[in-house]
Amino acid sequence: MATVDLKDVEKVYGGAVKAVKGVTIAIPDKALCVLVGPSGCGKSTLLRMIAGLETISSGTVSIDGKVVNEIGPTERDIAMVFQNYALYPHMKVYDNMAYGLRNRGMPKDEIDRRVKDVAATLELAHLLDRRPRELSGGQRQRVAMGRAIVRNPKVFLFDEPLSNLDAKLRGQMRVEIKNLQRSLGVTSVYVTHDQLEAMTLADILVVMNAGLVEQMGAPLDIYEKPASTFVASFIGAPPMNLLPIVASGNGATLADGTDIGMAAPANAVTLGFRPEDVDVVMNADRPEGAVALPARVEAVEPVGAESFLYCAAAGNRIVVRVSGRATAKPDDDLRIVAKSEKLHWFDQAGKRV
Amino acid sequence: MIGQSPVRTLIAHAVLIVGILIVAFPIYYTFVASTHTLQTILRPPLPLLPGGEFLRNYTEALFGGIGRIGGVGVGTLLLNTTIVAVGIAVGKIIISILSAYAIVFFRFPFRMTFFWLIFITLMLPVEVRILPTYKVMVDFGLIDTYAGLIIPLIASATATLLFRQFFMTIPGELVEAARVDGAGPWRFFFDILLPLSRTNIAALFVILFIYGWTQYLWPLLVTNRNDMNTIVIALRKMVSFADADTQWHLVMVTAMLAIVPPILVVVLMQRWFVRGLVDSEK
Ligand SMILES: Nc1ncnc2c1ncn2[C@@H]1O[C@H](COP(=O)(O)OP(=O)(O)O)[C@@H](O)[C@H]1O
Ligand SMILES: [Mg+2]
């Protein structure tokens, strides 16, 4: 079907605002690539450049090996699902789905067959005669998906398609999108600011920050080896604990001089560990090859299957995830232990060391 | 709540009824006058009830021709006025929807300059530019033509601004969805913009039709021939300084007939926008 290649893509708005500052991504055929990042980091701009809705200031976008910089959205053979669905309010569901096909001059019976097929797959068959305003949010979302699928394009583009749904529906649709994408085998680019969506959907995860790619790769690789403090704190919820440290002699201490219990690599100024990678121990022994920090529990949040302990250690907030019920109570003093293989170290520039 | 007590309800209704009577009485009286013979009208007091000349008066006015305006029948006048009013309303809508479309959805050099030029013409009513316009019409030989009656009045800054405001509320995503769906500028206009604008168009049509129907100064200038008059002009011409010279019964018939089409347009289109409003998307 199609590969999508971005090469040094830049976008400058109005000669001044640099929204995308040189992005190179290669998306193989049938892959689902998720662009994730905080609001305003240029994800939508990048997606819209792939769609052809925004001009490309420099660099190239290729679909299926062909540079499409100068080609309009219609000829790029892409389909897009918008955040607010962008259904035509005056058209019935059927016509919303058929409109793009009609504009391409497809014969009526072929259109009818395709629309009905897709409507059946998406369980929209009984809604074909309704107008968008007579549908629930979830149904509109499905129609928007259907409008994209019916076109059978080379590439699907999604711009935060689930952000207007409630949490439960969002979870269902996420699974459904993943399944549909896999069964249709259409190369897709999916934009979201939600790290959970990003982690669960992506074949290739691209973490963006301020117009640049911070890290790119398989979601779990990124989770396990975040390339920077930005990625470390963006991917994962609750985010990774990050503590400033100072190297001293053959050990290292927190900013206030508390010994962390082991040496830091050269250049490291930040220590990170994930909430689930820590043990809390009540006794005072010092385990070997691990960071051990004295901490006081400030709050306990039981969520059911797990609990979060919010602890204070020398002026830093540390979140700890324990499974099941927590035995610790607020104001307990305990020791936080993180094994050395679970530690992440970052240098002055925030890069992983 | 206001109007809870019966006394208040009574007062409120009394005020409304008086209001309606004040508005409706002259129209009723015109109707009464249009059903009497000239002699009855000229001999005061005029009866308060309709007379028996309804059919004769209306037939005479519509088909017989009226002496003071060169024997032209009211039928011709109604036809002229309808052509002019519809021409102005439709012309204004077409021109203003197209200019608003260009200004809102296209990027071209001096876009805002054009917008402000249109905006500024709001401050120049027809009357201000009436002499140069008249000269242009004379030079083009458009005196006593429908084109001469319609064309100078069909540019509308107000309607352009209204459509612009409406188009600006159309989400950018919808425009982009249409582009991805392969709709070029014309398809987008006809398949999406026009259907979404239909309530605005209906409302504007009513306002502009009445505007065209009641035009006075311009038709007065640009028509000389009696058979090209609009009904308002003809009505004025039918009234002479001398009472005895004026066929008052026919004047009254013409006045009655002159208000029927605007009323019809309002009533018919009203149903249309109510449906449009119920149908419309936020
Ligand atoms: N049409 C535009 N004109 C000028 N600046 C824009 C325009 N669209 C977006 N931007 C700017 O570009 C940056 C990236 O925007 P966007 O791609 O929408 O971010 P995201 O989708 O990641 O939230 C933002 O700083 C935004 O203000
Ligand atoms: Mg966005």
Side-chain angles (χ1 to χ4, degrees):
Chain A
M1 303 196 80
T3 57
V4 176
D5 288 286
L6 310 183
K7 200 150 182 295
D8 301 320
V9 172
E10 295 196 356
K11 178 68 192 183
V12 185
Y13 279 117
V17 186
K18 225 171 181 193
V20 176
K21 305 170 183 164
V23 168
T24 302
I25 304 174
I27 306 169
D29 186 24
K30 297 186 172 53
L32 174 59
C33 169
V34 175
L35 307 178
V36 69
S39 178
C41 71
K43 319 177 285 291
S44 296
T45 304
L46 195 57
L47 190 76
R48 292 157 48 80
M49 283 193 284
I50 301 174
L53 294 168
E54 207 75 73
T55 56
I56 298 163
S57 306
S58 78
T60 57
V61 172
S62 321
I63 295 178
D64 236 358
K66 186 169 154 239
V67 176
V68 293
N69 282 33
E70 302 302 324
I71 296 180
T74 313
E75 290 76 37
R76 287 190 192 189
D77 202 7
I78 47 106
M80 190 153 169
V81 178
F82 295 87
Q83 181 171 2
N84 297 307
Y85 318 136
L87 300 177
Y88 309 119
H90 58 294
M91 292 187 197
K92 292 180 175 158
V93 168
Y94 183 97
D95 299 309
N96 261 286
M97 287 166 60
Y99 187 61
L101 303 178
R102 287 189 191 132
N103 286 341
R104 283 173 173 74
M106 186 179 283
K108 252 195 159 72
D109 48 342
E110 169 75 2
I111 294 178
D112 193 60
R113 196 183 56 72
R114 281 214 203 177
V115 170
K116 293 204 166 131
D117 265 7
V118 172
T121 319
L122 290 174
E123 290 161 36
L124 288 171
H126 59 298
L127 302 175
L128 286 175
D129 278 333
R130 301 230 193 137
R131 276 170 222 270
R133 94 191 113 78
E134 297 157 345
L135 302 177
S136 70
Q139 290 168 333
R140 287 182 205 189
Q141 219 287 324
R142 278 164 186 280
V143 176
M145 295 273 303
R147 181 169 67 177
I149 294 171
V150 84
R151 286 256 321 279
N152 190 18
K154 282 188 186 152
V155 183
F156 282 141
L157 304 173
F158 299 89
D159 194 353
E160 311 212 7
L162 304 183
S163 59
N164 285 339
L165 301 179
D166 60 64
K168 189 167 166 230
L169 207 50
R170 192 152 49 198
Q172 288 171 8
M173 282 309 290
R174 200 170 65 211
V175 175
E176 202 160 325
I177 288 181
K178 180 78 186 168
N179 289 342
L180 271 170
Q181 193 272 336
R182 194 174 293 147
S183 65
L184 296 168
V186 175
T187 314
S188 305
V189 185
Y190 187 108
V191 162
T192 180
H193 63 263
D194 181 306
Q195 61 89 26
L196 179 65
E197 247 173 54
M199 287 295 293
T200 49
L201 283 174
D203 297 320
I204 305 168
L205 182 58
V206 178
V207 184
M208 289 184 65
N209 182 26
L212 285 168
V213 172
E214 283 271 338
Q215 192 175 1
M216 186 166 18
L220 285 176
D221 292 349
I222 292 180
Y223 187 80
E224 283 162 6
K225 284 197 162 34
S228 64
T229 49
F230 175 83
V231 178
S233 56
F234 195 81
I235 299 292
M240 182 184 284
N241 297 297
L242 294 171
L243 310 176
I245 52 157
V246 186
S248 72
N250 52 0
T253 63
L254 295 183
D256 73 339
T258 313
D259 185 10
I260 65 167
M262 63 179 291
N267 299 330
V269 299
T270 307
L271 161 66
F273 47 84
R274 296 219 176 259
E276 67 272 26
D277 290 340
V278 236
D279 293 321
V280 287
V281 291
M282 296 294 185
N283 61 28
D285 354 314
R286 298 201 126 235
E288 274 305 304
V291 162
L293 296 170
R296 162 165 291 201
V297 178
E298 287 186 324
V300 179
E301 249 184 23
V303 205
E306 59 199 9
S307 305
F308 297 107
L309 306 182
Y310 293 87
C311 308
N316 297 291
R317 158 65 60 84
I318 295 177
V319 186
V320 177
R321 172 188 265 153
V322 294
S323 63
R325 276 169 196 268
T327 47
K329 299 180 301 298
D331 292 332
D332 280 358
D333 282 311
L334 39 72
R335 196 171 280 277
I336 287 172
V337 177
K339 294 232 171 57
S340 62
E341 67 270 20
K342 297 290 190 187
L343 300 179
H344 308 264
W345 304 94
F346 302 96
D347 67 12
Q348 195 71 47
K351 295 281 166 254
R352 183 180 192 88
V353 292
Chain B
M1 274 279 299
I2 300 169
Q4 282 286 311
S5 78
V7 179
R8 279 190 176 181
T9 313
L10 209 68
I11 294 175
H13 277 78
V15 170
L16 285 175
I17 288 165
V18 170
I20 290 169
L21 285 179
I22 290 173
V23 174
F25 185 72
I27 297 172
Y28 171 74
Y29 215 46
T30 310
F31 174 72
V32 170
S34 74
T35 58
H36 285 284
T37 59
L38 180 59
Q39 285 68 33
T40 323
I41 298 172
L42 288 179
R43 190 178 344 103
L46 182 68
L48 274 173
L49 290 176
E53 304 297 319
F54 178 85
L55 271 182
R56 242 192 57 200
N57 286 353
Y58 279 77
T59 319
E60 184 183 347
L62 276 171
F63 308 109
I66 293 164
R68 277 196 56 88
I69 52 168
V72 175
V74 179
T76 312
L77 298 176
L78 283 174
L79 178 69
N80 287 349
T81 319
T82 307
I83 290 172
V84 170
V86 170
I88 290 175
V90 172
K92 270 182 191 274
I93 287 171
I94 290 175
I95 289 192
S96 53
I97 202 168
L98 288 177
S99 7
Y101 181 47
I103 285 171
V104 175
F105 292 104
F106 293 85
R107 302 280 162 271
F108 52 90
F110 304 113
R111 190 172 64 100
M112 285 320 276
T113 315
F114 284 113
F115 171 69
W116 284 108
L117 280 177
I118 293 172
F119 191 75
I120 284 169
T121 61
L122 267 183
M123 293 158 215
L124 295 174
V126 174
E127 289 74 11
V128 174
R129 52 189 161 86
I130 207 152
L131 283 176
T133 314
Y134 183 73
K135 171 87 170 83
V136 171
M137 288 299 119
V138 172
D139 292 349
F140 277 132
L142 291 178
I143 302 298
D144 280 329
T145 61
Y146 290 129
L149 279 164
I150 294 169
I151 291 169
L153 298 178
I154 65 172
S156 172
T158 324
T160 308
L161 288 179
L162 285 174
F163 279 122
R164 173 179 178 267
Q165 290 317 105
F166 171 65
F167 288 169
M168 307 235 294
T169 67
I170 289 181
E173 279 192 357
L174 201 62
V175 183
E176 292 176 349
R179 281 179 67 192
V180 171
D181 263 346
W186 281 113
R187 271 185 203 254
F188 175 69
F189 182 74
F190 284 108
D191 293 348
I192 292 165
L193 215 47
L194 217 48
L196 289 178
S197 311
R198 64 194 193 284
T199 40
N200 294 52
I201 292 175
L204 265 175
F205 181 83
V206 172
I207 294 167
L208 297 176
F209 180 87
I210 292 171
Y211 166 87
W213 190 267
T214 55
Q215 276 302 305
Y216 182 74
L217 189 56
W218 183 250
L220 185 66
L221 277 179
V222 86
T223 57
N224 298 324
R225 283 185 8 228
N226 286 318
D227 64 345
M228 282 306 292
N229 278 339
T230 60
I231 199 157
V232 180
I233 305 303
L235 204 52
R236 168 69 195 75
K237 284 192 184 170
M238 282 159 68
V239 180
S240 148
F241 290 111
D243 248 1
D245 237 9
T246 307
Q247 294 175 291
W248 282 112
H249 60 303
L250 297 183
V251 172
M252 294 304 157
V253 170
T254 312
M256 284 315 292
L257 290 174
I259 59 178
V260 171
I263 290 175
L264 276 182
V265 166
V266 170
V267 170
L268 292 178
M269 297 302 265
Q270 200 177 27
R271 286 172 51 197
W272 225 82
F273 14 96
V274 170
R275 209 181 65 203
L277 289 179
V278 174
D279 258 7
S280 83
E281 200 64 3
K282 52 189 163 111

